[in-house]
Amino acid sequence: MATINQHYWNLKESYLFSEIAHRVNAYQAAHPDAHIIRMGIGDVTLPLPPAVIEAMHKAVDEMAHAETFRGYGPEQGYDFLKDAVKGYYEKKGVELQPDEIFISDGAKSDLGNILDILGLDNTVLVTDPVYPVYVDTNKMSGRSIFFAQATEQNGFLPLPDPHLTADIIYLCSPNNPTGAVYNREQLKMWVDFANQNESILLFDAAYEAFVSEDLPRSIYEIEGAKTCAIEFCSFSKTAGFTGTRCGYTVVPLDLIRQETSLNKLWLRRQTTKFNGVPYIVQRGAAAVFSPEGQKQVQENIDYYRRNAKVITDTLDKLGIWYTGGKNSPYIWLKCPRSMDSWSFFDFLLEKANVVGTPGQGFGQCGEGYFRLTAFSSHELTQKAMDRLYSILR
């Protein structure tokens, strides 16, 4: 008889978003005329930049002619896109080799798939609140998971605890869901900790393009990171590729464990289990790094930043504590009037017809907090904040 991976029994159903959908649908059914504004979704709303669309159209035309048609491409990505990523890192002061860059269909996929090259007996450390993918993908493999508490007291930026070591460490900065961003000194502490313990630091930089202050946008801006860290990046929030799917992962050649190159292991994994991102999509992604593409992408990011400012200005007027917003599309606020996360969700839905995400769904330390996103239109963001202010002033 065939057996199953019983570790899947340890996974919870997607309680958070199914419960949100259930409550919103029930309210809408009871109040069909209510105009509900959704500010909990982490999806972008602006279209792909014109430079990306133009590059994709050209690539489609190439596929129509035998002399320019492309079949199977390199699993680790075409050189033209890897070179563009390399040039992007050079602007951050980071030097990469093309062989250290792997093009993928998104950071979420690689954050889970990277575990293929890491031992099942490894212990795992994640921050709480946490992006659920970090936890669930390790539960699927039966690894032991420990949590570093992110709280209001530490600015939702926990630092290494010498009494809580782990073989695999996940960090996300700017953070999802809290929007908090580590500075260089804090990341240096994590890099030193990982090197001292021979841990692997998995650094999720999906939101790096939203950093506007003098804060690190890549873990490789930190001395020593290339011997302990793998970085995951995405075009989704940067350039609107949520429905197009493209990202990249950096695995340094200097990252060695048990006398084995993790770069070579990842290459072997990808060439076996992955056929690469479509040529048309990669041409669009390369256009993101063109001068015109960078200008257009920045305009989109600035649009979301203005939305974030509308949210944070409103919270400031109401005297509500929050983090995020300035260097992140996420705003993580303390629930007013001592409400718990779900009570505030219901209050906001019923009194203002606005939907956010209860912090409790991201972990125990998320209880009493709430996530709003800046991924909406200016009009709807302003309208939602006007409603919020009117019920809490």
Side-chain angles (χ1 to χ4, degrees), residues 46 298-307 376-378:
L46 294 175
Q298 191 59 55
E299 289 171 353
N300 285 0
I301 290 173
D302 287 344
Y303 183 96
Y304 295 131
R305 280 189 181 137
R306 289 194 293 274
N307 284 347
S376 188
S377 68
H378 288 333

Side-chain angles (χ1 to χ4, degrees), residues 44 128 133 145 175 184 201 240 279 285 287 295 302-303:
V44 295
D128 176 0
V133 170
I145 304 171
N175 185 268
R184 287 177 175 79
L201 187 58
Y279 171 73
K295 177 177 178 292
D302 287 344
Y303 183 96

